[in-house]
Each structure stands twice: as structure tokens, then as C-alpha cells.
Amino acid sequence: MAARYAELLTTVGIERGLIGPREADRVWSRHIFNSVAVASLIEPATSVVDVGSGAGLPGIPLALARPDVEVVLLEPMARRAQFLEECVAELELTNASVHRGRAQEGLPRLVDAVTARAVAPLAALAEMSFRLCRAGGPLFAIKGAKAAEEVAELARIGTFTAVVHALTDAAGEPATVVEVRRAPKQGRKAP
């Protein structure tokens, strides 16, 4: 099924402008394998929303790698949502569904965790993501070279905690996933 998804990305995905034509040669290494790296951090039997799913990254590779995980592909743009629906049907992903909308609008129900890749800076992503997630649930953001800078900005804000996971993807390449959680609220001290 992953091979069929790669084919969809490099044909229909390019035709519809979901990935660039120069990405075809790197679809496995840069997109699919990199997206699967987050799978090792997701708890069993978890519900996940993939914010700004776009071409289905990391949501579709996650659903393929982890059939025990329920994945909601959240995408506001109609043409992208249509592509995602076609992929879910073509790949017969019974553990994935598409919801057309924006993270700021919420979902019909809360999920256990959030994933994202190339959506927004970490601080903005955390703010929009936690309205979708049950209390205490994590955001797993696949980030690149600027991960440390974004984590530092998040620490400055002080409402979130972050752990950087330096992983190795299926191709043996490094993958950086930042796990973000809301910082515990500080209680009032007794007099």
C-alpha cells in the first residue's frame, strides 16, 4: 500500500500541485520515510489528528504503518481534502478519515494526540493544536533544522513543555520530532 501511495503522490499529487515535480525522486526519503518516524512515538490504540494534512503527510504513512491508530486527516483546502479522500479510498485505509476544516474550528470530538509537518512555527502550531486534543495529549511535530530555535521560542512563552526526539527514519536518515505538551498549571500556594 505504501508503494501505491508513493505512486499517487508522484502522479496525481504532482498534477494537482500537492507536491512539487522535483520531489518525485525524493518522495520515499523526504516524505514517506520521514513521516513514518513519528509512528514510534504514538501510543497503541490512539486517536490522532494530522493538522494541515495537505498531501497526507505524516497522516497517511502513519495510518499505513500503524493500523491500530485511528487517524483523522484535517485539511481546510477542498482540492487537498479531495485528494486525501481519494487516497483513503484507494488505499482502503479503514483507520483513516478526512475532515475538511481548520484546526481553529475544532473537530466533532477530541483526539488523543496531534501530528503535524510543515504547517506553522511550533508556538503557533501548539496553540491551534491543543483545542483538538484531550487534556494532557501530545503534539508530535516533525521539524527540520530550526527545531532547536522553535523549542527555545516555545520555552520563552512558558505555557508548553517540549522534548526533542532525534530519531532515525526507515531510510536511516535523521528525523526530528518535537513532542509538545501543555505545561502544568501552577497552583496557588497555601498561606
Side-chain angles (χ1 to χ4, degrees):
M1 288 302 187
R4 178 65 182 132
Y5 177 56
E7 184 182 337
L8 290 168
L9 283 174
T10 58
T11 56
V12 179
I14 291 173
E15 290 167 14
R16 296 186 190 174
L18 295 161
I19 67 169
R22 293 182 185 159
E23 296 299 306
D25 291 340
R26 304 185 305 176
V27 74
W28 283 99
S29 61
R30 182 170 177 163
H31 300 294
I32 296 173
F33 289 151
N34 185 260
S35 293
V36 172
V38 74
S40 67
L41 300 173
I42 306 287
E43 294 290 326
T46 297
S47 60
V48 175
V49 63
D50 180 26
V51 172
S53 198
L57 301 162
I60 290 178
L62 174 61
L64 288 167
R66 294 285 306 274
D68 65 310
V69 173
E70 176 192 344
V71 179
V72 177
L73 306 166
L74 179 63
E75 174 54 50
M77 292 183 65
R79 69 183 172 90
R80 291 178 180 167
Q82 180 181 356
F83 174 78
L84 294 172
E85 288 170 357
E86 292 168 10
C87 286
V88 167
E90 173 81 20
L91 302 171
E92 299 177 356
L93 287 173
T94 58
N95 64 327
S97 61
V98 179
H99 182 86
R100 183 166 173 236
R102 296 168 34 94
Q104 296 86 338
E105 297 163 356
L107 290 171
R109 66 181 181 82
L110 297 177
V111 295
D112 300 317
V114 178
T115 61
R117 179 176 181 258
V119 174
L122 201 51
L125 182 60
E127 285 294 342
M128 74 174 81
S129 295
F130 286 112
R131 70 184 68 220
L132 306 170
C133 198
R134 289 184 180 90
L139 159 65
F140 295 104
I142 298 174
K143 289 292 183 177
K146 294 188 177 186
E149 292 173 30
E150 292 189 45
V151 168
E153 175 63 19
L154 204 60
R156 190 186 66 73
I157 294 169
T159 55
F160 304 103
T161 61
V163 175
V164 177
H165 298 278
L167 305 173
T168 303
D169 69 20
E173 296 295 320
T176 303
V177 178
V178 181
E179 179 179 348
V180 181
R181 295 182 186 264
R182 281 211 181 274
K185 292 186 178 184
Q186 300 298 321
R188 296 172 78 181
K189 293 186 178 183

